[in-house]
Amino acid sequence: MSEPTLFHLEDGYQAWLGYRQIAPGERYDQYAFYTQITVTEQDGIMGTAVTELAQGIACMLGRQPEISEHSEGVPCITIGTFGNNPMVDQAFGMDIRAAIGHEGYGLKTDQENGCIAIGATSAVGILYGVFHLLRLFSTGSPVDRLDVVENPVNQLRMINQWDNIDGSVERGYAGKSIFYADNRITTNLPRIQDYARLLASSGINAIAINNVNVHQFETKLITGEYLPDVVKLADIFRAYGIKLFLSVNYASPLEIGELSTADPLDPAVRAWWCGKAAEIYAAIPDFGGFLVKADSENRPGPFTYDRDHADGANMLAEALKPYGGIVIWRCFVYNCKQDWRDRTTDRARAAYDHFEPLDGRFMDNVILQIKNGPIDFQVREPVSPLIGAMEQTNQMIEFQITQEYTGQQRHLCYLVPQWKEALNFETYNKGVGSSIKRIVDGSLHGNPYSGFAAVSNIGNDANWTGHLLAQANLYGYGRLAWNPELTSEAIAEEWIRMTFGENQQLVKVIRGMLMDSLGIYESYTAPLGVGFMVNPDHHYGPNVDGYEYSKWGTYHFADCHGIGVDRTKASGTGYTGQYKGDNFARYESLDSCPDDLLLFFHHVSYTHVLHSGKTVIQHIYDSHFAGVEQAAQLQAAWSSLEGSIDSHLYEQVANRLTEQAEHAEEWRDRVNTYFYRKSGIADQQGRRIY
Amino acid sequence: MSEPTLFHLEDGYQAWLGYRQIAPGERYDQYAFYTQITVTEQDGIMGTAVTELAQGIACMLGRQPEISEHSEGVPCITIGTFGNNPMVDQAFGMDIRAAIGHEGYGLKTDQENGCIAIGATSAVGILYGVFHLLRLFSTGSPVDRLDVVENPVNQLRMINQWDNIDGSVERGYAGKSIFYADNRITTNLPRIQDYARLLASSGINAIAINNVNVHQFETKLITGEYLPDVVKLADIFRAYGIKLFLSVNYASPLEIGELSTADPLDPAVRAWWCGKAAEIYAAIPDFGGFLVKADSENRPGPFTYDRDHADGANMLAEALKPYGGIVIWRCFVYNCKQDWRDRTTDRARAAYDHFEPLDGRFMDNVILQIKNGPIDFQVREPVSPLIGAMEQTNQMIEFQITQEYTGQQRHLCYLVPQWKEALNFETYNKGVGSSIKRIVDGSLHGNPYSGFAAVSNIGNDANWTGHLLAQANLYGYGRLAWNPELTSEAIAEEWIRMTFGENQQLVKVIRGMLMDSLGIYESYTAPLGVGFMVNPDHHYGPNVDGYEYSKWGTYHFADCHGIGVDRTKASGTGYTGQYKGDNFARYESLDSCPDDLLLFFHHVSYTHVLHSGKTVIQHIYDSHFAGVEQAAQLQAAWSSLEGSIDSHLYEQVANRLTEQAEHAEEWRDRVNTYFYRKSGIADQQGRRIY
């Protein structure tokens, strides 16, 4: 294991792990008290934990701490798994130790000698505890009375890389892949390790390292041609407590095997996958499992053989089961060759219609991975009604950190509030108290597996995420997956302090920018939940009719009278009927449907009056004018920080915000003009529309 | 010079030069009379002429004619330039010889011995005469009383290849380039020769062999790296009387020279081009000259140096002048970064506004090449008012044979009627009698150079043009350039007879299909001259708002009330003011503006009543419904020929017509739905709109 690469701070490479040196003063003195680390374990993840702790402290205090097996009588930080370090055992009573799960940890300051103990049942718990303590140091928090027990709320906290082996990243906006180039796995392993550090420090414990769209060369990742290199990546992630998964091609038995079918009920196919699993686990004993996009957007799947998703997933699950591996089966299944003239087919219905009837049919090591909304990561969608609807089926939620539809890291859009809104959504699947977060943390249905997945936003740009402030989304995702009760503001503040330091004004300004950003972006893009008013293919920029006559099932049906999709049971596609309890009635009725989802559920006239008191058309105009003003305010806010931030970092963000402000104007004008021309209704305030 | 490659007839490769064998009978006997060719000249183009004649006759009659220097007393075809063949000299009196220009020829049947003489002042005239005679044979025309004198009406009859050296063809719909692959010039010279035959047989005498968008590698065509291979191509075309031109990169002195500027007034730049011309002419003494797209769609040009187009063109002209070379300077110059919000800028005005003020400034070996319409090869545009507006400037018209906006060779669209309409357009530049054809044939202004250019529609598909029937456009272009008085029907009929043979019913059906096709295509695409309602970039398929919010200057301004571009002087962009005489008033007034150009010149309400008596909106609906029915009729018409045509050729066309009929339905529905949703006005006939 090489030392983590230490790039210079100015390019954003170190992200929230920059551990800037603390200036002399009260805060410095508090931390400088600790000159020693005591630890009795050094293997594997424990080695990582010690290295991270020592290095973090060295950076912040400007000198290396001693590392020893026993306390030398000086104030120390002692770390260890229970039963292996007497100081740790002494610090935590049995009741506390019992409360600490496999990935949990305790942090405790000894009130007599001031020593801090980090205890856990496993090395990975220690690593998380170390990152916790470093976070306290780097955010200037007190450590003199620590008495913390932390367990992750969610079991799987996963990242999906949509990286292709040719080096491209599907929906990537931060350069090329750090994993691949020219159809080979990278040899730049230090960068992979640095990514593992970032992920582990935010709480991530699983990663699928290739795109769910598995093309020709990626299909071979599970063959001897690539597997030795995959092993190297697995080794790196393992040292940070992160399990490695691979996206697989459902048609592998045909494409890389010698079989003439991929029928999941064919014994030869089943045997082929069993053999393949054995081969993979021989190389990577703790391999996580397979991520599968099947029968979706032209990818192969069990439908080819008149089998269903349960047949397909169970075949793979059977092969992985002996090794403790799991199958993560994506539910992003819909008709992507729809006729735009057909108003009865509703893409929003598709995932539920496909999967809900299969409840109970999936093996217990299959997890369904369900996008947060029923369409596709729009800035505003209702929560997918499939999440929680299958009581006997493992489920996890899928978010998109990469900003495909939310500004592509050219616009600022802090997504944690969006994710929290989904997590807090009440599904009524088991009556009141059935929020999404209780489904994905496993507590509602009590199934063996559950958790979070999200599509990464990183690439080989020096600052990882293109837009420096988009690092907050990567960090925030991990933190939220660890504990969905954290507030968006608190996560933002942690990230800002770790990234930029302690300046109170700076923290306040950036936190305000992050918190406002989602609403701003939403306001100058698609209004009232209508979604998908984007340019085809690349999905950047407004194009109101961009998908209106396409095969993708994403229509808004705007005409000269009104706009929106009637998804009611009464008169529309019946999608509202997929919601339980009060949700159905709330969405079904025009009176109770929330404004921000109105056009998702109802087709209304432009003169329909919203709960806000505005008409639909006036809301469109107002929100687009306001969004542009607010985008300009983001620029102004950032400008106020010039001088408080390293100039390279300052310029990076200033340039993006300038582009955002310019593009917001263009988007405002295009959207407003489209609706003005279509409706013929003038802006009440007489502002310029073309 | 290799023998022309003879592919089998069934794939369409031989196009109109298939020379199918004539069945025994009266017609056979008429031609079989001629068993001998007498010729005293055999070099260069004369060799080509003899080979073509002998081969054509051999194919049609099934036996080789004798070739000798003197008549052996048997009925012969004698060919020769005046003063070199006594039989020829005897056949043509001095008055006729005086009437035959450089590329002209005479054809005469001797009423005593039945011999046919082809006489000309030059070898290329003989070649054209030979193709004329072969055309008579292959269309079953009588040859017993020939008394023909033909001269081409237009001086330059040019083809522009938009072929890139990587093998792609910009706006090509018939496979890859036959000229290039993998950044090298092809070694498949027989195919180039076959192309030269096709061109020469239709009357073409010039070709620019590379795309007007000259990219990195193409820039080097004028360097030692590529020039030896260009010489080989020039040799092939020369043998068919075709001069070779190259498109050049205006920034060449920077990109392949050592200069730091391409300023046309810089002496070093001028010297560089003079040296370059010397180098090219040393290799190709009859090199035609340069074709230049400058300051257009992001191509470099004199504007960079605050120079104008005359400065830029004259610099190149000066370099070519000593060798008789010419500069063909394209007038497709407009602001391609327009703000869609700006309604005062009008792309239609651009060519005239840029060039007309420069009249008199261009050297006499500069020709301005002007697209037929002011926008870009739409199915319906007015004629460019620049053509003929510059009395002291050489001008040529540019057509597009490749069907960029007219169905991309997936739809049948015989373009000769469109071109004839443009050619017959009365410009009033010198009062009545100033038709476009009199400008491009040079007779109106009497400038030294003029003619036709057109973008080729061929690629390496076996049948050259993708859609077999699109061969008629290539053939028709050449014939029209030779003689604009030929009717569309006559050209179609020649081509059909040469390609498919003599079956009367077949000729009638295909001629009908060709003649109807342009109107059909127009009817289910953009209505009433509005244009550019296409998908961005690739330009296939309808997208009413596809360019509405773009930077390309191609807008229709449709809103819920109406549509169209006000280009009047009274209230619009003033574009109508570029027209002379009655044209101005005709276009300026809503009362007199022709229906088919109404939306090009005026913004009107959907309920505006056309001269046809229909409202605009009803016209849109009716024409789109009718176009689909007519597209289906094309299919039916072709089906009636099954069995009369080789089955491979039959299937080729049947498949294209099926696709056309399907796509026409889709286009109808998209366009009608767009306007129904926008206008809210129902179809009077209550047909299905979505």
Side-chain angles (χ1 to χ4, degrees):
Chain A
M1 191 97 316
S2 63
E3 288 292 301
T5 316
L6 290 173
F7 281 53
H8 46 95
L9 207 61
E10 296 75 26
D11 59 9
Y13 182 85
Q14 296 191 315
W16 56 89
L17 299 183
Y19 300 130
R20 48 192 73 228
Q21 190 160 359
I22 300 167
E26 189 184 342
R27 196 183 139 219
Y28 179 87
D29 296 341
Q30 181 196 175
Y31 304 139
F33 182 70
Y34 301 98
T35 57
Q36 194 184 67
I37 298 168
T38 66
V39 57
T40 61
E41 302 145 284
Q42 291 277 8
D43 290 344
I45 300 175
M46 279 302 292
T48 308
V50 173
T51 303
E52 287 289 338
L53 182 58
Q55 179 183 287
I57 289 175
C59 285
M60 287 187 276
L61 302 184
R63 59 171 166 68
Q64 285 288 340
E66 282 177 63
I67 299 172
S68 66
E69 294 219 349
H70 307 286
S71 170
E72 317 273 327
V74 295
C76 70
I77 300 167
T78 185
I79 67 175
T81 56
F82 300 131
N84 292 305
N85 181 328
M87 277 184 74
V88 166
D89 290 348
Q90 196 180 349
F92 299 98
M94 289 311 290
D95 52 337
I96 291 180
R97 286 156 71 169
I100 294 173
H102 172 67
E103 294 180 306
Y105 57 87
L107 285 184
K108 195 159 175 72
T109 311
D110 186 314
Q111 293 304 308
E112 288 180 16
N113 59 20
C115 283
I116 296 172
I118 305 178
T121 58
S122 72
V124 70
I126 296 298
L127 180 64
Y128 290 135
V130 161
F131 279 123
H132 187 136
L133 184 62
L134 288 169
R135 186 163 62 238
L136 294 177
F137 276 44
S138 65
T139 56
S141 309
V143 296
D144 55 345
R145 291 174 184 279
L146 295 175
D147 189 2
V148 170
V149 170
E150 275 274 339
N151 287 294
V153 174
N154 292 287
Q155 186 188 24
L156 267 165
R157 304 179 301 280
M158 189 166 187
I159 283 286
N160 291 179
Q161 298 297 137
W162 283 0
D163 294 41
N164 299 315
I165 205 162
D166 65 1
S168 65
V169 181
E170 183 165 330
R171 310 307 178 188
Y173 312 105
K176 307 284 280 180
S177 174
I178 67 166
F179 286 86
Y180 313 102
D182 304 327
N183 293 335
R184 298 302 314 174
I185 291 176
T186 184
T187 54
N188 182 4
L189 298 181
R191 177 127 202 192
I192 300 294
Q193 187 184 349
D194 287 336
Y195 187 41
R197 295 180 67 215
L198 290 175
L199 295 181
S201 72
S202 72
I204 298 300
N205 69 353
I207 187 168
I209 61 166
N210 62 304
N211 188 0
V212 291
N213 289 317
V214 183
H215 309 292
Q216 184 190 354
F217 283 99
E218 291 87 347
T219 302
K220 299 185 206 163
L221 283 173
I222 54 173
T223 69
E225 185 177 346
Y226 288 103
L227 215 40
D229 289 327
V230 175
V231 167
K232 292 179 191 167
L233 300 181
D235 290 345
I236 292 171
F237 285 108
R238 182 184 302 109
Y240 282 89
I242 298 169
K243 275 203 180 188
L244 185 140
F245 289 68
L246 290 171
S247 298
V248 295
N249 181 342
Y250 197 82
S252 293
L254 287 160
E255 295 198 13
I256 56 173
E258 305 290 312
L259 303 186
S260 59
T261 176
D263 180 351
L265 300 193
D266 185 299
V269 174
R270 300 174 83 90
W272 188 89
W273 280 111
C274 287
K276 188 50 71 182
E279 191 182 338
I280 297 168
Y281 279 93
I284 307 170
D286 61 349
F287 178 68
F290 296 146
L291 174 60
V292 190
K293 176 177 181 176
D295 286 317
S296 166
E297 295 181 337
N298 309 312
R299 303 309 303 158
F303 285 179
T304 308
Y305 309 100
D306 280 331
R307 313 303 183 190
D308 63 24
H309 288 285
D311 296 327
N314 289 343
M315 171 195 62
L316 296 173
E318 184 184 74
L320 298 174
K321 180 97 179 166
Y323 313 97
I326 58 180
V327 173
I328 301 176
W329 192 268
R330 291 177 89 236
C331 295
F332 186 53
V333 176
Y334 66 98
N335 177 5
C336 68
K337 291 178 179 166
Q338 192 175 330
D339 187 331
W340 60 268
R341 287 165 284 220
D342 164 22
R343 287 213 191 187
T344 61
T345 303
D346 181 0
R347 172 168 162 180
R349 291 187 60 118
Y352 189 99
D353 286 347
H354 276 293
F355 285 92
E356 194 276 340
L358 301 177
D359 192 23
R361 293 266 324 279
F362 291 96
M363 280 177 62
D364 66 0
N365 63 328
V366 173
I367 313 181
L368 299 186
Q369 181 169 307
I370 307 167
K371 289 190 179 186
N372 63 289
I375 301 288
D376 191 17
F377 300 135
Q378 300 303 292
V379 66
R380 174 70 61 180
E381 287 187 59
V383 172
S384 169
L386 181 60
I387 305 173
M390 299 173 71
E391 202 171 327
Q392 304 169 69
T393 306
N394 298 310
Q395 297 188 30
M396 60 198 295
I397 195 167
E398 179 177 335
F399 294 120
Q400 194 181 43
I401 312 174
T402 192
Q403 293 172 235
E404 178 177 1
Y405 298 97
T406 51
Q408 302 196 353
Q409 283 131 263
R410 299 159 79 176
H411 297 237
L412 179 62
C413 196
Y414 178 53
L415 292 165
V416 174
Q418 186 197 56
W419 302 332
K420 281 192 67 77
E421 195 172 325
L423 292 167
N424 288 330
F425 181 75
E426 170 61 82
T427 70
Y428 302 105
N429 271 301
K430 283 190 160 181
V432 172
S434 306
S435 62
I436 293 288
K437 64 189 169 194
R438 292 207 54 220
I439 294 155
V440 296
D441 73 12
S443 61
L444 190 71
H445 295 319
N447 288 311
Y449 293 103
S450 62
F452 278 47
V455 185
S456 178
N457 64 346
I458 70 111
N460 70 355
D461 277 3
N463 71 3
W464 299 93
T465 52
H467 200 312
L468 182 71
L469 302 188
Q471 290 181 353
N473 287 326
L474 183 63
Y475 179 79
Y477 167 72
R479 295 290 289 140
L480 202 64
W482 181 278
N483 182 7
E485 301 304 329
L486 293 173
T487 67
S488 300
E489 292 85 346
I491 292 172
E493 182 156 344
E494 273 182 16
W495 175 79
I496 298 162
R497 288 181 186 275
M498 294 173 77
T499 304
F500 295 105
E502 287 299 292
N503 177 326
Q504 276 303 321
Q505 178 61 16
L506 176 148
V507 170
K508 186 179 158 206
V509 167
I510 301 178
R511 189 183 55 211
M513 292 172 65
L514 292 174
M515 290 305 297
D516 291 343
S517 60
L518 176 66
I520 295 172
Y521 184 83
E522 181 178 2
S523 69
Y524 58 76
T525 49
L528 301 168
V530 73
F532 247 97
M533 290 178 172
V534 294
N535 283 302
D537 305 329
H538 61 67
H539 298 165
Y540 185 81
N543 186 337
V544 179
D545 274 355
Y547 276 88
E548 193 58 17
Y549 302 97
S550 77
K551 63 186 178 178
W552 296 95
T554 52
Y555 316 116
H556 52 63
F557 305 119
D559 62 18
C560 57
H561 309 297
I563 182 174
V565 188
D566 185 350
R567 292 192 160 106
T568 62
K569 271 181 93 165
S571 55
T573 67
Y575 167 74
T576 54
Q578 294 181 348
Y579 288 92
K580 306 291 193 300
D582 293 350
N583 287 334
F584 162 67
R586 189 158 57 100
Y587 292 144
E588 177 79 4
S589 161
L590 201 49
D591 293 337
S592 54
C593 185
D595 285 351
D596 59 14
L597 287 171
L598 181 69
L599 303 183
F600 193 93
F601 286 106
H602 297 275
H603 187 94
V604 299
S605 77
Y606 295 117
T607 54
H608 172 83
V609 178
L610 300 171
H611 300 304
S612 71
K614 291 181 180 177
T615 61
V616 166
I617 190 73
Q618 194 58 37
H619 172 90
I620 292 173
Y621 298 152
D622 288 350
S623 59
H624 284 76
F625 281 109
V628 168
E629 285 173 25
Q630 292 169 310
Q633 285 160 12
L634 289 178
Q635 261 191 301
W638 186 256
S639 296
S640 75
L641 302 178
E642 191 167 8
S644 318
I645 294 177
D646 172 276
S647 64
H648 291 86
L649 298 182
Y650 175 83
E651 287 298 335
Q652 273 189 27
V653 175
N655 291 339
R656 301 261 166 172
L657 292 172
T658 300
E659 184 182 4
Q660 176 177 2
E662 287 169 4
H663 287 202
E665 286 188 26
E666 179 73 16
W667 298 13
R668 170 198 69 197
D669 289 343
R670 289 196 193 186
V671 174
N672 282 346
T673 299
Y674 177 96
F675 285 105
Y676 173 61
R677 290 188 184 173
K678 200 142 206 169
S679 70
I681 300 171
D683 172 36
Q684 287 169 358
Q685 296 189 44
R687 290 163 292 195
R688 185 80 189 266
I689 299 176
Y690 297 86
Chain B
M1 189 96 320
S2 64
E3 288 292 301
T5 316
L6 289 172
F7 281 53
H8 47 96
L9 206 62
E10 296 74 27
D11 59 9
Y13 182 85
Q14 296 191 315
W16 56 88
L17 298 183
Y19 300 129
R20 49 191 72 227
Q21 189 160 359
I22 299 169
E26 188 183 345
R27 195 182 139 219
Y28 179 87
D29 295 342
Q30 181 195 176
Y31 305 140
F33 182 71
Y34 301 98
T35 56
Q36 195 182 65
I37 298 168
T38 66
V39 56
T40 61
E41 303 145 285
Q42 291 279 5
D43 291 343
I45 298 175
M46 278 304 291
T48 308
V50 173
T51 303
E52 287 289 338
L53 182 58
Q55 181 183 286
I57 288 175
C59 286
M60 287 187 275
L61 302 185
R63 59 173 167 67
Q64 286 288 342
E66 281 177 64
I67 299 171
S68 65
E69 294 218 351
H70 306 288
S71 171
E72 317 272 327
V74 295
C76 69
I77 299 167
T78 185
I79 68 176
T81 56
F82 301 129
N84 293 305
N85 182 327
M87 277 185 73
V88 166
D89 289 348
Q90 194 180 349
F92 298 97
M94 288 312 289
D95 52 337
I96 291 181
R97 286 157 71 167
I100 294 174
H102 171 68
E103 294 179 308
Y105 56 87
L107 284 184
K108 195 160 175 72
T109 311
D110 186 313
Q111 294 304 310
E112 288 182 15
N113 59 20
C115 282
I116 296 171
I118 305 178
T121 58
S122 71
V124 71
I126 296 298
L127 180 65
Y128 291 134
V130 160
F131 279 124
H132 188 134
L133 184 64
L134 288 169
R135 186 163 62 239
L136 295 176
F137 276 44
S138 65
T139 57
S141 308
V143 295
D144 54 345
R145 290 173 185 279
L146 295 175
D147 190 3
V148 169
V149 170
E150 277 274 335
N151 286 296
V153 174
N154 292 288
Q155 185 187 27
L156 266 165
R157 304 180 301 279
M158 189 166 188
I159 283 286
N160 291 180
Q161 298 297 137
W162 282 2
D163 295 40
N164 299 315
I165 204 163
D166 65 1
S168 65
V169 181
E170 184 165 329
R171 310 306 178 188
Y173 312 105
K176 307 284 280 179
S177 173
I178 67 165
F179 286 86
Y180 314 102
D182 304 328
N183 294 335
R184 299 301 314 173
I185 291 176
T186 185
T187 55
N188 183 3
L189 298 181
R191 178 129 200 190
I192 300 294
Q193 187 183 348
D194 287 337
Y195 187 40
R197 294 181 68 215
L198 290 176
L199 295 181
S201 72
S202 72
I204 298 301
N205 69 353
I207 186 168
I209 62 166
N210 62 305
N211 188 0
V212 291
N213 290 317
V214 184
H215 309 291
Q216 184 191 354
F217 283 98
E218 291 88 347
T219 302
K220 300 185 204 162
L221 282 173
I222 53 174
T223 69
E225 185 178 345
Y226 288 102
L227 215 40
D229 289 327
V230 175
V231 167
K232 293 179 192 167
L233 300 181
D235 290 344
I236 292 171
F237 285 109
R238 181 184 303 109
Y240 282 88
I242 298 169
K243 273 203 181 189
L244 186 140
F245 289 69
L246 289 171
S247 298
V248 295
N249 181 343
Y250 197 82
S252 294
L254 288 160
E255 295 198 14
I256 56 173
E258 304 289 311
L259 303 186
S260 59
T261 177
D263 180 352
L265 300 193
D266 185 300
V269 173
R270 300 174 84 90
W272 188 90
W273 281 110
C274 287
K276 187 50 71 182
E279 190 182 337
I280 297 169
Y281 279 94
I284 308 171
D286 60 349
F287 178 67
F290 297 146
L291 175 60
V292 190
K293 176 177 180 176
D295 286 318
S296 167
E297 295 182 336
N298 308 312
R299 302 309 303 159
F303 286 178
T304 308
Y305 310 99
D306 280 331
R307 312 303 184 191
D308 63 24
H309 288 286
D311 296 327
N314 290 343
M315 170 195 63
L316 296 173
E318 184 184 75
L320 297 174
K321 180 99 180 164
Y323 313 96
I326 59 180
V327 172
I328 301 176
W329 192 268
R330 291 178 89 236
C331 295
F332 187 53
V333 176
Y334 66 98
N335 176 6
C336 67
K337 291 178 179 166
Q338 190 175 331
D339 186 332
W340 59 268
R341 288 165 285 219
D342 163 22
R343 289 213 190 186
T344 60
T345 303
D346 182 0
R347 171 167 163 179
R349 291 187 59 118
Y352 189 99
D353 286 346
H354 276 292
F355 286 92
E356 193 276 340
L358 301 177
D359 191 24
R361 294 266 323 279
F362 291 97
M363 281 177 60
D364 65 1
N365 62 329
V366 173
I367 312 181
L368 299 187
Q369 180 169 308
I370 307 167
K371 289 189 180 187
N372 63 290
I375 300 287
D376 191 16
F377 300 135
Q378 301 303 291
V379 65
R380 175 70 61 180
E381 287 186 59
V383 172
S384 170
L386 181 60
I387 305 174
M390 298 173 71
E391 201 170 328
Q392 304 170 68
T393 307
N394 299 310
Q395 296 189 28
M396 62 198 295
I397 196 167
E398 179 176 335
F399 294 119
Q400 193 180 43
I401 312 174
T402 193
Q403 294 172 235
E404 178 177 0
Y405 298 97
T406 51
Q408 303 198 350
Q409 283 131 265
R410 299 159 79 176
H411 296 238
L412 179 62
C413 196
Y414 178 53
L415 292 165
V416 174
Q418 186 198 55
W419 302 332
K420 279 193 69 77
E421 195 173 325
L423 293 167
N424 288 329
F425 182 76
E426 171 61 84
T427 69
Y428 302 105
N429 271 301
K430 283 190 161 182
V432 172
S434 306
S435 63
I436 293 289
K437 64 189 170 195
R438 292 205 55 219
I439 294 155
V440 297
D441 73 13
S443 61
L444 189 72
H445 294 320
N447 288 312
Y449 293 103
S450 61
F452 277 47
V455 185
S456 177
N457 64 346
I458 70 111
N460 70 355
D461 277 2
N463 71 3
W464 299 92
T465 52
H467 200 312
L468 181 72
L469 301 187
Q471 289 180 355
N473 286 326
L474 182 62
Y475 178 79
Y477 167 72
R479 295 289 289 140
L480 202 64
W482 181 277
N483 181 7
E485 300 303 329
L486 293 173
T487 66
S488 301
E489 292 85 346
I491 292 172
E493 182 156 345
E494 273 181 17
W495 175 79
I496 297 162
R497 288 181 187 276
M498 292 173 78
T499 304
F500 293 107
E502 286 299 294
N503 178 326
Q504 276 303 322
Q505 177 60 17
L506 177 149
V507 170
K508 185 179 159 207
V509 168
I510 300 178
R511 189 183 57 210
M513 291 173 65
L514 291 175
M515 290 304 297
D516 291 343
S517 60
L518 175 66
I520 294 173
Y521 184 83
E522 182 178 2
S523 69
Y524 58 76
T525 50
L528 301 168
V530 72
F532 247 98
M533 290 179 173
V534 293
N535 283 303
D537 304 328
H538 60 69
H539 297 164
Y540 185 81
N543 186 338
V544 178
D545 274 356
Y547 276 87
E548 193 59 16
Y549 303 97
S550 76
K551 63 186 178 179
W552 295 97
T554 52
Y555 315 116
H556 53 64
F557 306 118
D559 62 17
C560 57
H561 309 296
I563 181 173
V565 188
D566 185 351
R567 293 191 159 106
T568 62
K569 271 182 96 166
S571 56
T573 67
Y575 167 74
T576 53
Q578 294 182 347
Y579 287 92
K580 306 291 193 300
D582 293 349
N583 287 334
F584 162 67
R586 188 158 56 101
Y587 291 145
E588 177 80 2
S589 161
L590 201 50
D591 293 336
S592 54
C593 185
D595 285 349
D596 59 14
L597 288 171
L598 180 69
L599 303 183
F600 193 93
F601 286 106
H602 296 275
H603 187 94
V604 300
S605 77
Y606 294 116
T607 54
H608 173 83
V609 178
L610 300 170
H611 300 303
S612 71
K614 289 182 181 178
T615 61
V616 167
I617 189 73
Q618 194 58 39
H619 172 90
I620 292 173
Y621 297 151
D622 288 350
S623 59
H624 284 76
F625 280 109
V628 168
E629 284 173 26
Q630 291 169 310
Q633 284 160 13
L634 289 177
Q635 260 191 302
W638 186 256
S639 296
S640 75
L641 302 178
E642 191 167 8
S644 317
I645 292 178
D646 173 276
S647 64
H648 291 87
L649 298 182
Y650 174 82
E651 287 298 332
Q652 274 190 26
V653 175
N655 291 339
R656 302 261 166 172
L657 293 171
T658 300
E659 184 182 3
Q660 175 176 4
E662 288 169 4
H663 286 202
E665 286 189 25
E666 179 73 17
W667 298 13
R668 169 197 69 196
D669 288 343
R670 290 195 193 188
V671 174
N672 281 347
T673 298
Y674 176 96
F675 285 105
Y676 173 61
R677 290 188 185 174
K678 201 141 206 168
S679 70
I681 300 172
D683 172 37
Q684 286 169 358
Q685 296 188 43
R687 289 162 294 194
R688 185 78 190 267
I689 299 177
Y690 297 86

